Amino acid sequence: MSSSNNIAVSQEEDERLAKELSLKEAAAHDLSHRPKRRRFHESYNFNMKCPTPGCNSLGHLTGRHERHFSISGCPLYHNLSADECKGKATTRDKQAEERTLSHRQDENRHSTRNQAPTEGQLRYKDKVTELRRKRNSGLNKEQKEKYTEHRQSHGTSREPLLENITSDYDLELFRKAQARASEDLEKLRLTGQVSEGSNMIKTIVFGRFELDTWYHSPYPEEYARLGRLYMCEFCLKYMKSQTILRRHMAKCVWKHPPGDEIYRKGNISVFEVDGKKNKIYCQNLCLLAKLFLDHKTLYYDVEPFLFYVMTEADNTGCHLVGYFSKEKNSFLNYNVSCILTMPQYMRQGYGKMLIDFSYLLSKVEEKVGSPERPLSDLGLISYRSYWKDVLLRYLNNFQGKEISIKEISQETAVNPVDIVSTLQSLQMLKYWKGKHLVLKRQDLIDDWKAKETKRGNGKTIDPTALKWTPPKGT
């Protein structure tokens, strides 16, 4: 009897405990009791800050959020305070309630089509007409001085003063549109469709390719915060949407890079672009390259450089394959400052073609070249592979008994330091009886010959196709 009672009591306790546990779980999942401020703060990364100079990131143009991290939501940029934004938000809410009430009253009418406007609609039309009639014909001298002083003080870091330029009614419509757009962007940010952080541009649409980016590039903030950029693959102009890109492509007359075509073999061409003559194109090229290069620091100072852009041609135009930049006057005889193969053309032999082309230019200039350091990880791998091929080809064709590092350098245009480091990595350089000896390892040469035979002559630079005279400097 007692045992059965014990069992019954334990069952009741289990049911009670289970009920309490379920209530606790429900309360834990129900966040309605939490204050809105706490939930809002959890959604933000407080390491971020607004890019507007002097802004503390407090307030929001919509008046509905406590913080902002972009120009679109910055009250200071729009020449407003956080309290003014909150006041405008309250006014907009009241106007929205009045419109909703008016629409409900109109619903009682059977049909609004082909019916005369109501008295309220007529009064509102007269009110708008009167407000727009008050539009100022122009700014007086004092207002012009105030606007000029504002522009000189803040430049493009603040929105121009808009008061007295149009009617108060139209200005208020514009402010409402700004607030609504800012709210839409905020919703996209909170759902993860607009990204924040050091690498804000996640993808670019480039020609028929959609490319994931690797590193941060300093595009203007209004473009970077979108997360995706659309680019013209010929003039490299960057845009915010597919629609803008489509309209641009209908008008863009570019089908190849600017500058002189100095090499053509089959469908491969190389254009020499002067950073001084084509500054915008070269700046856009540097910004694009920074998305895929970690060590690149050159963005806007492009005038001292020449850019050699490799393209692949088809019936639609010359598509960007890669490029390398080169100082017009290099004190250390660097023949490459920055080099990039576009991701969609990687692992196809184009990187070695670009490197080979840079050394071909050095041969024409009768100089010995070397890439500027530091090299990126992919760049270092490509250069080591290229130097290895050059040395093995030279040793395969070499028939003498004594070899000179200086002679190899003069014939291949590769810097002696790079030759020695490559020989050491291949274990082909030994020190014996006070002399350095180059070991002709036949096993490595045989492996290289087999790969060359398999690779064929598809992706190689033909020196006879180069039509170029070394520039005489700036």
Side-chain angles (χ1 to χ4, degrees):
M1 186 71 178
S2 61
S3 63
S4 63
N5 287 339
N6 287 338
I7 293 172
V9 170
S10 63
Q11 287 177 344
E12 290 177 1
E13 286 180 349
D14 285 345
E15 290 177 358
R16 180 174 59 80
L17 290 172
K19 187 174 181 180
E20 290 179 359
L21 184 62
S22 64
L23 289 173
K24 287 180 180 179
E25 289 179 350
H29 290 294
D30 182 16
L31 302 179
S32 60
H33 65 286
R34 290 187 181 182
K36 288 184 178 181
R37 178 179 296 180
R38 187 175 177 184
R39 291 206 310 274
F40 181 84
H41 282 187
E42 288 172 350
S43 67
Y44 276 98
N45 174 10
F46 280 86
N47 292 324
M48 294 291 295
K49 64 178 182 179
C50 177
T52 302
C55 182
N56 57 8
S57 298
L58 295 177
H60 199 281
L61 182 66
T62 61
R64 304 180 188 281
H65 305 290
E66 295 182 8
R67 297 180 69 85
H68 67 276
F69 304 110
S70 63
I71 290 176
S72 64
C74 179
L76 185 62
Y77 174 81
H78 295 90
N79 302 309
L80 298 169
S81 67
D83 291 336
E84 285 176 326
C85 292
K86 289 181 180 178
K88 289 180 178 294
T90 303
T91 303
R92 287 194 299 269
D93 290 341
K94 289 181 180 179
Q95 291 174 347
E97 290 177 3
E98 292 175 358
R99 283 197 302 271
T100 302
L101 181 62
S102 176
H103 290 162
R104 287 176 181 172
Q105 293 173 351
D106 289 341
E107 285 176 359
N108 296 328
R109 307 170 75 195
H110 296 293
S111 175
T112 58
R113 182 178 296 179
N114 299 326
Q115 289 193 10
T118 63
E119 291 183 7
Q121 290 172 337
L122 289 172
R123 285 198 302 271
Y124 183 73
K125 180 181 179 182
D126 293 339
K127 180 182 176 181
V128 171
T129 303
E130 184 63 25
L131 287 171
R132 282 183 164 158
R133 197 174 288 149
K134 294 179 180 179
R135 175 177 177 176
N136 294 321
S137 57
L139 301 176
N140 57 39
K141 183 179 179 181
E142 189 175 317
Q143 290 170 337
K144 287 181 179 179
E145 290 177 354
K146 180 182 177 182
Y147 283 34
T148 303
E149 182 181 355
H150 180 273
R151 173 57 68 186
Q152 291 175 348
S153 300
H154 302 291
T156 57
S157 64
R158 296 277 187 90
E159 183 183 69
L161 297 177
L162 303 177
E163 288 73 14
N164 300 315
I165 291 179
T166 185
S167 68
D168 293 341
Y169 174 79
D170 289 316
L171 179 59
E172 189 60 29
L173 279 181
F174 178 68
R175 292 293 189 198
K176 287 179 182 177
Q178 280 185 320
R180 184 172 180 179
S182 181
E183 181 65 22
D184 290 342
L185 285 171
E186 195 67 23
K187 289 177 181 177
L188 291 174
R189 192 202 64 76
L190 291 172
T191 57
Q193 297 183 48
V194 173
S195 54
E196 293 173 349
S198 59
N199 185 12
M200 299 177 72
I201 300 173
K202 301 298 181 184
T203 58
I204 61 170
V205 175
F206 192 82
R208 65 180 187 275
F209 300 99
E210 183 173 324
L211 307 175
D212 293 330
T213 62
W214 301 350
Y215 302 104
H216 167 71
S217 184
Y219 282 94
E221 192 271 343
E222 60 182 302
Y223 290 88
R225 62 175 166 75
L226 298 174
R228 172 183 288 188
L229 282 186
Y230 298 82
M231 295 188 187
C232 173
E233 61 176 328
F234 300 117
C235 71
L236 305 185
K237 179 180 173 64
Y238 47 90
M239 287 151 273
K240 295 182 179 180
S241 70
Q242 185 74 47
T243 303
I244 299 175
L245 175 63
R246 188 167 58 249
R247 290 174 178 173
H248 168 82
M249 295 304 295
K251 297 181 291 183
C252 185
V253 297
W254 291 36
K255 294 302 176 184
H256 58 77
D260 301 323
E261 185 181 16
I262 62 173
Y263 177 91
R264 183 189 293 183
K265 180 69 179 293
N267 63 343
I268 300 295
S269 296
V270 178
F271 293 82
E272 183 183 62
V273 186
D274 192 332
K276 188 175 183 179
K277 295 179 181 178
N278 300 279
K279 189 173 181 179
I280 300 300
Y281 177 88
C282 294
Q283 287 178 347
N284 288 342
L285 183 60
C286 289
L287 287 171
L288 172 63
K290 184 63 182 71
L291 293 171
F292 307 103
L293 294 175
D294 188 21
H295 295 288
K296 183 169 180 57
T297 57
L298 170 68
Y299 313 131
Y300 301 108
D301 186 21
V302 296
E303 294 185 12
F305 293 86
L306 292 170
F307 294 78
Y308 295 90
V309 185
M310 180 175 287
T311 64
E312 186 179 62
D314 60 15
N315 56 356
T316 61
C318 296
H319 306 279
L320 176 65
V321 171
Y323 86 99
F324 67 88
S325 59
K326 177 180 179 180
E327 281 187 278
K328 295 175 182 176
N329 298 297
S330 176
F331 178 71
L332 297 174
N333 280 336
Y334 290 136
N335 63 355
V336 167
S337 294
C338 178
I339 187 168
L340 170 75
T341 304
M342 292 295 290
Q344 66 270 31
Y345 291 102
M346 286 183 177
R347 301 184 64 85
Q348 299 178 38
Y350 290 106
K352 282 189 178 180
M353 289 182 70
L354 282 168
I355 296 173
D356 196 21
F357 191 81
S358 68
Y359 280 104
L360 175 60
L361 299 185
S362 296
K363 291 176 185 176
V364 175
E365 291 177 303
E366 297 181 351
K367 293 180 180 180
V368 172
S370 183
E372 185 176 333
R373 270 68 170 183
L375 290 167
S376 65
D377 295 337
L378 290 175
L380 183 59
I381 292 172
S382 299
Y383 267 97
R384 281 179 175 171
S385 177
Y386 174 79
W387 291 329
K388 176 183 174 181
D389 284 351
V390 167
L391 287 174
L392 292 176
R393 181 182 294 109
Y394 184 89
L395 292 173
N396 180 59
N397 298 329
F398 185 73
Q399 301 297 328
K401 293 183 179 180
E402 289 188 1
I403 196 167
S404 168
I405 299 295
K406 185 177 180 181
E407 289 178 0
I408 298 176
S409 176
Q410 290 175 345
E411 187 167 334
T412 62
V414 178
N415 191 291
V417 176
D418 298 328
I419 294 174
V420 171
S421 65
T422 305
L423 289 173
Q424 288 175 338
S425 67
L426 296 174
Q427 297 181 350
M428 296 176 70
L429 192 63
K430 298 294 181 183
Y431 187 75
W432 186 68
K433 290 185 178 182
K435 293 183 179 181
H436 284 95
L437 302 177
V438 175
L439 302 180
K440 190 174 181 180
R441 292 182 56 183
Q442 196 61 40
D443 57 336
L444 291 179
I445 294 175
D446 291 340
D447 288 342
W448 169 79
K449 289 170 67 175
K451 289 181 181 178
E452 282 288 295
T453 303
K454 185 178 180 181
R455 188 183 302 158
N457 297 322
K459 298 290 192 305
T460 56
I461 292 293
D462 183 2
T464 61
L466 177 67
K467 308 297 180 185
W468 180 72
T469 302
K472 296 181 181 180
T474 55

